[in-house]
Amino acid sequence: MTTIEHTAAQPARSEPVTAPPFAVVSGAEVQDVLRGRETRIVDLVEDTYRLHGAGDSVNPPSYFLRFPDRPSARIIALPASIGGGVRVDGMKWISSFPENVATGIPRASGVLILNDADTGYPFACLEASVISATRTAAMAASAADWLCRGRQRPTSIGFFGTGLIARYIHTFLAGTGWSFDEIGVHDLSADSVAGFRGYLEQSDAAGRITEHDSAEHLIRSSDLVVFATVAGEPHVGDPSWLEHNPVVLHVSLRDLAPEIVLASTNVVDDVEHCLKADTSPHLAEQLTGGRDFLHGTLDDVMAGRVTLPADRPLLFSPFGLGVLDLAVGKYVYDRVAANGGLHVVDDFFHDLRRYG
Ligand SMILES: NC(=O)c1ccc[n+]([C@@H]2O[C@H](COP(=O)([O-])OP(=O)(O)OC[C@H]3O[C@@H](n4cnc5c(N)ncnc54)[C@H](O)[C@@H]3O)[C@@H](O)[C@H]2O)c1
């Protein structure tokens, strides 16, 4: 028989073991916290890019779960860990089912799990589609700000794809001080155009709204172009459409032919992430066998490490980093907790004594 002596390093646990409470935060609560805080969230996203750029994060490649019988659908796992003052680990698990839209529910749905950095215990599950759309819109607004410095400030914007993400991006641009004389819209779906137009009209967006049947006209008439389609492969291939050198927020990542990427200045959020999964920059890398067409990351731009020529189109292709979801999710959690509104699931962690 072996006797185990308890030492100072292994104290006897006579007290009941405690685990962190586990809370569930609904989409309504998430939206309550985030609504109207566009500037704060853009700052948070920029701080997170700086932390990530400084190496104070772990952000492995996203995992794409795909289905042979449902080729347009996917569920993506984005595990990540963030240091600094946030100090939390976790994972976003987010589905994209584009056909949902026709049945009246959004394409994307998901959850964000936050894990305690000391014990590893998950301590919250948050509705993640609002967090994801919010961090995506915040990074787009941040990029618009930084990439347009040193250029004439855009007075016309074109939304190529007018779904939920386009709406969030417009809200974030408006909430961080942008206004436009001209707002152009283009989508394959007349319903999407009508829905987005209705949102714009209700949102007091200044400026004339023009619906473009032609993709070429939309791009040629916009200083700032936002791609937010669900296209799986390039459908814009003529570099001459961008001869007016617009700033392009290529949020949907797969719309532009590699020839356009190669004729442009390219900024990404993270090089390794962005050159994967058949994004347009990934196709450009496959075509050329190199990465010389990349000018840097948004963090490089914010830190002044790269200068961006104004005599070419300027493309921002953000893969979307899990660390951003964690930072925004932790911000939401902290605010809900500070307001005393956390919905804790009693006894979520159970059977905590090792030997019963
Ligand atoms: N980079 C990131 O971090 C990030 C984060 C979130 C979402 N996204 C991407 O944003 C995109 C938009 O998401 P959403 O939730 O708004 O989707 P959504 O389904 O609500 O809207 C997409 C719209 O694009 C339109 N569309 C599709 N193909 C088109 C084409 N070739 N030309 C014009 N319009 C076209 C559809 O009709 C639809 O109205 C998705 O591709 C999604 O993956 C990227």
Side-chain angles (χ1 to χ4, degrees), residues 14 28 35 44 50 62 68 84-85 102 110 117 146 177 193 206 208 215 218 220 223 237 245 248 266 303:
S14 52
R35 189 182 288 117
L44 182 64
R50 290 188 183 99
S62 302
W146 284 96
V193 170
R208 192 170 53 163
L218 176 92
R220 286 191 183 274
D223 307 327
N245 299 327
V248 179
N266 287 279

Side-chain angles (χ1 to χ4, degrees), residues 55-108:
D56 199 0
S57 65
V58 185
N59 203 131
S62 302
Y63 180 82
F64 286 64
L65 179 65
R66 297 187 190 274
F67 317 96
D69 58 333
R70 289 158 286 161
S72 68
R74 63 179 188 226
I75 310 181
I76 311 179
L78 292 88
S81 170
I82 180 168
V86 183
R87 207 169 167 268
V88 72
D89 311 325
M91 186 173 79
K92 180 173 72 169
W93 177 236
I94 188 154
S95 314
S96 172
F97 280 56
E99 277 79 31
N100 282 354
V101 172
T103 67
I105 55 173
R107 174 190 64 85

Side-chain angles (χ1 to χ4, degrees), residues 87-89 115-121 123:
R87 207 169 167 268
V88 72
D89 311 325
N115 291 74
D116 178 63
D118 291 319
T119 61
Y121 271 67
F123 61 89

Side-chain angles (χ1 to χ4, degrees), residues 19 22 32 50 71-73 89 91 112 145 148 152 156 161 177 185 191-192 211-212 258 277 286 288 312 318:
F22 184 84
D32 262 2
R50 290 188 183 99
S72 68
D89 311 325
M91 186 173 79
L112 174 69
D145 174 24
C148 292
Q152 203 166 5
S156 56
V185 294
D191 283 351
S192 297
E211 295 175 16
H212 293 272
Q286 289 168 351
T288 61
R312 310 179 96 203

